Amino acid sequence: MKPYRIGVLTSGGDAPGMNAAIRAVVRQSLDLGVDVYGIYRGFQGLVDQDWRPLSSRNCANILQRGGTILNTARCHAFKVKSVRAQAARDLKEAGIDSLVVIGGDGSFTGAHLLGEEHGIPCAGIPGTIDNDLPGTERTLGFDTALNTAIGAIDKIRDTASSHERLFLVEVMGRSSGMIAVHTAIACGAEAVLYPESHVDSYAALVTQLKAGWERGKRSSIVVVAEGDQAGNPYEVGERLRNEYNLDLRVVVLGHIQRGGSPTAIDRIWGSLWGSEAVKRLVAGEKGFYLGAQANELVSIPLSRIHDARPEPPLALTKLVPTLAL
Ligand code: F6P
């Protein structure tokens, strides 16, 4: 009889901890006597049938490495129904019984559709530095990205206070302020601008900065999420410069937040989720993604990927100005 065969892929923006999850998927599968195939460049690899068997040795020394050994892509072709139908036929022909998809909301949407339309059992592992998936308090890469941003901003703080300057620092999060708000708290930022804010963020920023100047602050750090409504930090900076004649500087942290060696948290959750995804697929569970709630591992139906995204905790957003007193 043909052995049970699992395919694993990473999709969307890479995130530190993805390799830990791949390693766990492979080694847990081998431990259960299950074949495991690596699918390269995300859903593009399904379309191109770019897959090959993975052995335990393929996963040696990857736990501590950022990025993904399977490569990744944002595959627009997979949004087309007929492309998914062909991919499902190819998977069945190759004897791949189920899939582990490591990625964010776009990747989980693809996995959900494969399951709904073609009955392919799929398990999702949250892998995105944005930490913006419904039903889970954490995603792989978020903790590492936060620590990277914090390390960079601590350095910026040194020069900001030496020159008595205002710095606007852009962090990632196209449609999520999770990285921005958590970073702002951890760096003692004077203000934070983020997409989910329900106030006029430019006006709120000016009020906060003025209050700081009145209290004698000579330098300030403002953390700006990529997707903030007030605009990118260059636009916000230009406005502030024109209105208040400030000697400010803008830093865009960019993709350094996506790389680097994963933190302990990202390694541990990657390992746990990788192993659990395999065990559940082999036991017949389908159409789910894993997550964490109150630090416990949970399983969430893939259909919930369309639920409202979590927003930065109010307790933290409110704390930024308080602690910048
Ligand atoms: O989804 C993760 C993320 O890093 C977002 O924070 C960011 O907006 C986006 O990916 C950038 O994507 P790309 O690397 O494709 O430009």
Side-chain angles (χ1 to χ4, degrees):
M1 204 178 81
K2 164 189 131 9
Y4 191 87
R5 184 169 292 163
I6 287 181
V8 55
L9 62 85
T10 47
S11 156
D14 61 348
M18 282 183 162
N19 280 330
I22 295 167
R23 171 178 176 270
V25 166
V26 172
R27 294 192 172 169
Q28 183 62 75
S29 296
L30 298 177
D31 186 62
L32 294 174
V34 166
D35 272 1
V36 56
Y37 274 40
I39 298 164
Y40 290 81
R41 301 187 331 284
F43 289 110
Q44 192 60 48
L46 278 191
V47 175
D48 300 339
Q49 299 179 57
D50 185 6
W51 48 59
R52 47 203 117 119
L54 290 176
S55 73
S56 189
R57 295 285 63 77
N58 294 129
C59 306
N61 292 322
I62 66 167
L63 180 65
Q64 72 280 18
R65 283 170 48 197
T68 158
I69 60 159
L70 295 177
N71 302 121
T72 185
R74 300 190 194 276
C75 176
H76 300 293
F78 213 70
K79 292 179 184 153
V80 179
K81 198 168 180 180
S82 58
V83 172
R84 292 194 297 273
Q86 184 58 49
R89 282 195 291 274
D90 294 339
L91 274 175
K92 285 174 189 163
E93 208 163 293
I96 299 176
D97 299 290
S98 61
L99 278 185
V100 177
V101 173
I102 308 170
D105 57 349
S107 315
F108 287 5
T109 301
H112 180 48
L113 290 172
L114 259 186
E116 292 291 295
E117 294 169 351
H118 307 288
I120 309 273
C122 290
I125 294 180
T128 163
I129 64 164
D130 291 347
N131 197 15
D132 62 347
L133 299 182
T136 179
E137 288 162 1
R138 57 172 89 249
T139 60
L140 297 180
F142 177 64
D143 190 60
T144 307
L146 267 190
N147 281 291
T148 302
I150 291 164
I153 295 178
D154 285 349
K155 295 185 175 80
I156 293 169
R157 178 70 82 179
D158 292 343
T159 176
S161 61
S162 303
H163 284 264
E164 302 186 319
R165 272 176 179 156
L166 164 64
F167 272 79
L168 302 175
V169 185
E170 185 188 89
V171 296
M172 275 191 158
R174 199 164 20 207
S175 41
S176 168
M178 284 290 198
I179 296 178
V181 169
H182 287 80
T183 301
I185 289 291
C187 292
E190 274 64 28
V192 57
L193 305 183
Y194 59 101
E196 301 93 336
S197 160
H198 301 295
V199 297
D200 175 347
S201 48
Y202 182 77
L205 169 65
V206 168
T207 309
Q208 265 163 255
L209 288 176
K210 279 186 176 165
W213 297 333
E214 275 157 25
R215 285 193 304 272
K217 273 196 188 243
R218 319 296 294 175
S219 69
S220 306
I221 303 271
V222 177
V223 177
V224 185
E226 227 181 349
D228 176 60
Q229 289 134 358
N232 70 45
Y234 291 104
E235 290 161 349
V236 175
E238 202 44 35
R239 229 175 131 182
L240 284 171
R241 221 179 250 129
N242 292 337
E243 288 172 24
Y244 300 97
N245 192 29
L246 293 174
D247 179 26
L248 61 86
R249 293 290 184 274
V250 172
V251 177
V252 175
L253 294 185
H255 286 77
I256 65 161
Q257 294 157 95
R258 285 245 295 266
S261 183
T263 58
I265 284 180
D266 286 330
R267 295 180 196 201
I268 292 165
W269 279 94
S271 303
L272 258 179
W273 282 333
S275 151
E276 189 69 16
V278 169
K279 287 197 253 180
R280 286 177 186 249
L281 284 174
V282 171
E285 196 170 322
K286 54 170 94 161
F288 66 96
Y289 62 100
L290 298 174
Q293 276 167 22
N295 229 23
E296 294 288 333
L297 186 148
V298 292
S299 170
I300 304 149
L302 269 171
S303 55
R304 279 201 52 200
I305 196 57
H306 303 300
D307 286 5
R309 291 153 170 260
E311 295 196 356
L314 208 58
L316 292 186
T317 58
K318 282 164 66 179
L319 202 54
V320 173
T322 310
L323 298 187
L325 267 181

